[in-house]
Amino acid sequence: IQMTQSPPSLSASVGDRITISCRASQDISNYVAWFQQKPGKAPKSLIYAASSLHSGVPSKFSGSGSGTDFTLNISSLQPEDHATYYCQQYNSYPPTFGPGTTVDIK
Amino acid sequence: QVQLQESGPGLVKPSQTLSLTCTVSGGSFNSGPYYWTWIRQRPGEGLEWIGYVYYSGGSYYNPSLKSRVTISLDPSKSQFSLKLNSVTAADTAVYYCVRDCFKDRVGMDVWGQGTTVTVSS
């Protein structure tokens, strides 16, 4: 299953709300996860099952979608949100990841 | 709190075997709804799922790597390992070990810090 993300990159200001889109090449129900990867660091798990937050993840992160189209929203953007965000499908094996969306802070 | 830590050589010669170990601490390794997983990230690229091993010893690999990969576990040491043979420069990457919780489809929830492996003579 191929995963695509848009936009490839975006630049936003502190306090902004941003949306990242992810599309699957076929229906994957709600089996989508989102990860945040800061430069030089390991990915961090943010969201599973399209909209459930992992423990300890702040509520400024939210996810939605089902079928083939999914979104990650980040509200009240802060400098520490500078990172690349990946979606991943795990409806069928092998799990596959999107190419990532890099978020810069103006 | 569960922690994962990768270890192994940072440099491997072409055609040889890449061997990495992941040590699991702070939680249950010998049971539980977990797939113990390896993922890699080539320089400047995205994430590639390599495969997993289950506590019973069962495993599943990415078809693109299946002919070269073995993932095994050592419950007595709370470790699981990755072996990738016949490596080339294309296997140069950061390798992550990851816990994948299949109960309630929680998915990948704990990541190691990653270890860089360079394939070069």
Side-chain angles (χ1 to χ4, degrees):
Chain A
I1 297 176
Q2 302 297 319
M3 304 296 286
T4 57
Q5 288 182 234
S6 62
S9 64
L10 66 88
S11 182
S13 300
V14 171
D16 283 353
R17 174 184 172 90
I18 64 170
T19 297
I20 298 170
S21 297
C22 176
R23 175 167 288 179
S25 60
Q26 63 188 70
D27 190 332
I28 56 172
S29 184
N30 70 333
Y31 295 135
V32 158
W34 289 93
F35 303 93
Q36 174 194 62
Q37 186 176 34
K38 296 184 178 181
K41 299 296 186 182
K44 173 186 176 182
S45 302
L46 295 177
I47 287 173
Y48 65 96
S51 60
S52 298
L53 264 61
H54 279 286
S55 175
V57 175
S59 59
K60 60 184 292 180
F61 295 95
S62 63
S64 63
S66 66
T68 60
D69 293 305
F70 303 88
T71 59
L72 172 69
N73 292 293
I74 309 174
S75 64
S76 186
L77 201 66
Q78 298 298 312
E80 59 265 28
D81 298 325
H82 167 58
T84 298
Y85 293 84
Y86 295 93
C87 63
Q88 178 226 358
Q89 70 80 19
Y90 54 110
N91 181 68
S92 62
Y93 278 82
T96 47
F97 295 85
T101 294
T102 299
V103 174
D104 289 322
I105 312 299
K106 290 178 183 176
Chain B
Q1 182 175 349
V2 174
Q3 292 185 318
L4 280 63
Q5 178 68 59
E6 304 89 350
S7 59
L11 181 64
V12 181
K13 289 181 167 50
S15 79
Q16 294 191 342
T17 297
L18 179 160
S19 296
L20 297 175
T21 297
C22 182
T23 301
V24 181
S25 60
S28 174
F29 178 76
N30 295 333
S31 63
Y34 305 120
Y35 295 139
W36 301 100
T37 299
W38 288 96
I39 287 172
R40 72 180 182 181
Q41 186 170 34
R42 294 189 181 100
E45 297 189 16
L47 300 161
E48 180 181 24
W49 184 86
I50 298 172
Y52 72 69
V53 65
Y54 185 46
Y55 81 91
S56 65
S59 58
Y60 189 91
Y61 306 131
N62 193 320
S64 67
L65 297 168
K66 184 178 180 180
S67 63
R68 300 194 291 130
V69 171
T70 302
I71 300 176
S72 59
L73 52 76
D74 186 344
S76 67
K77 297 181 180 178
S78 293
Q79 293 178 336
F80 62 107
S81 298
L82 168 70
K83 290 189 185 300
L84 180 65
N85 59 36
S86 304
V87 298
T88 69
D91 296 308
T92 293
V94 178
Y95 287 78
Y96 298 100
C97 58
V98 183
R99 187 179 79 171
D100 183 343
C101 177
F102 59 80
K103 181 179 180 182
D104 298 328
R105 297 307 290 256
V106 169
M108 299 177 192
D109 61 349
V110 182
W111 293 67
Q113 66 183 27
T115 188
T116 299
V117 177
T118 301
V119 178
S120 175
S121 55

